[in-house]
Amino acid sequence: MKRILSLVLTLLLVFSLVACGGTKTDETASKSESKTEKPTENSTPAPTEKPTEKPSEKPTEKPTEGGTAKPDEAPEGIKYLRSDTGTQLNMILEYDTAKNQDGTYTVDATLKLESYSLNVTARGNSNYIKIGDENYYFSTEAITYSGAEKTTFTLATHRFTVSGDKNEVGVYAIWYFNGTYNDAPLATIVIDGKITLE
């Protein structure tokens, strides 16, 4: 009987505990109305295009023709000797003289070739000018000229010193052309003469 009574009391105790405790109310979390914010659109600026740089217009240099002698104008009013080949291709020896204090003379000589259109390759140093007892050997570059007007090309320039014993001195100049001009064969072009020392 005691055992039954004890069992009943135990059951009552259990039920009373359950009734008192009830279901534990969880704290109701306040429903925060989460406002769905519209994400801010980052206004990405349009990529800036780098301005295209205009290429600098560099003037095109005209290439120089290598190995071609430059035509030049024959100065007027100076003394000269001229060859006579019977063609339009000739040489001119322009010269100027000056007396030195020791009684000798200085002769500045410039040998030029005179022609219309001409195409000739380089020539070796067998060519020479002789004034008095002094020889000056020279070579020449290629000459290319297709113009319609007569022009001149400088072949050589040299300063000579000659004795002043006489008032005249011999001049000899030779250039080995070794070609044909206006259907006329010309092995050499020669100037042979005298100049007055003054």
Side-chain angles (χ1 to χ4, degrees):
M1 189 68 176
K2 286 181 182 180
R3 184 179 290 177
I4 295 172
L5 185 60
S6 168
L7 183 60
V8 171
L9 289 173
T10 304
L11 289 173
L12 287 174
L13 181 62
V14 170
F15 283 127
S16 64
L17 286 173
V18 171
C20 290
T23 23
K24 187 177 181 180
T25 6
D26 296 332
E27 294 180 0
T28 57
S30 63
K31 293 182 181 180
S32 60
E33 296 180 359
S34 59
K35 295 182 181 179
T36 308
E37 295 182 0
K38 188 176 181 180
T40 308
E41 294 182 359
N42 293 330
S43 55
T44 309
T48 307
E49 295 184 0
K50 188 177 180 181
T52 308
E53 295 181 0
K54 186 177 179 182
S56 59
E57 298 179 359
K58 192 175 181 180
T60 306
E61 296 180 359
K62 187 177 179 181
T64 55
E65 298 179 2
T68 304
K70 182 181 178 183
D72 49 23
E73 296 291 333
E76 297 180 0
I78 70 168
K79 295 168 280 189
Y80 67 93
L81 295 174
R82 189 175 185 275
S83 68
D84 186 8
T85 63
T87 70
Q88 298 294 338
L89 181 64
N90 280 287
M91 288 195 310
I92 299 173
L93 181 78
E94 300 172 352
Y95 66 94
D96 190 24
T97 62
K99 189 172 183 178
N100 301 318
Q101 291 182 351
D102 60 359
T104 61
Y105 280 83
T106 295
V107 181
D108 290 322
T110 300
L111 185 64
K112 295 186 176 183
L113 187 67
E114 179 186 65
S115 75
Y116 286 91
S117 60
L118 181 66
N119 188 3
V120 60
T121 58
R123 295 293 186 260
N125 60 356
S126 300
N127 318 287
Y128 68 92
I129 305 169
K130 181 178 181 180
I131 297 181
D133 296 326
E134 184 179 351
N135 291 337
Y136 174 69
Y137 290 86
F138 64 93
S139 59
T140 56
E141 295 180 346
I143 299 173
T144 302
Y145 176 62
S146 56
E149 297 181 359
K150 182 183 287 187
T151 189
T152 59
F153 303 87
T154 299
L155 299 179
T157 301
H158 188 67
R159 172 169 286 181
F160 297 83
T161 302
V162 298
S163 168
D165 296 341
K166 298 179 181 179
N167 63 345
E168 284 187 338
V169 65
V171 174
Y172 186 84
I174 183 169
W175 183 60
Y176 289 89
F177 176 62
N178 293 326
T180 302
Y181 195 83
N182 289 348
D183 297 328
L186 288 173
T188 60
I189 302 177
V190 174
I191 291 176
D192 190 2
K194 291 184 178 181
I195 62 175
T196 302
L197 301 175
E198 54 186 8

